[in-house]
Amino acid sequence: MPLAASSGWYLGLALGIVVVLVAAAIVIAVVLLARRIAGQARTAVAGVEQVRAQTSELAGIARINDSGVRILHSARALRKVAVGR
């Protein structure tokens, strides 16, 4: 019986090692993906900063948008009058 008990112990040890190796592989994959995502995020932040720098020059954009909305409402009112709806 000591041989059977001993082989069960070796089997348990082998399964434990396999589980640890699989978990380590998963952690390594997650860390590598996280590093890749972090690099992409840095690139995106640089792009956003560039867009911000380019669009901050649009002084008075709120006034331009308001004017556009007023023109749109006026055009809709004129269409209602012209069409009769």
Side-chain angles (χ1 to χ4, degrees):
M1 220 43 172
L3 184 60
S6 162
S7 64
W9 187 83
Y10 286 126
L11 179 64
L13 183 62
L15 286 175
I17 290 172
V18 168
V19 167
V20 168
L21 290 176
V22 168
I26 291 171
V27 168
I28 289 170
V30 167
V31 168
L32 290 175
L33 287 172
R35 289 181 60 179
R36 185 170 149 198
I37 290 169
Q40 292 173 347
R42 280 190 291 276
T43 302
V45 167
V48 168
E49 290 299 327
Q50 185 176 5
V51 168
R52 183 181 308 170
Q54 291 172 351
T55 58
S56 67
E57 302 296 324
L58 297 174
I61 192 72
R63 189 180 55 153
I64 294 169
N65 285 341
D66 288 340
S67 297
V69 169
R70 287 184 188 143
I71 291 169
L72 177 65
H73 289 305
S74 298
R76 285 181 180 163
L78 286 172
R79 184 179 66 192
K80 278 184 179 181
V81 169
V83 175
R85 293 190 217 181

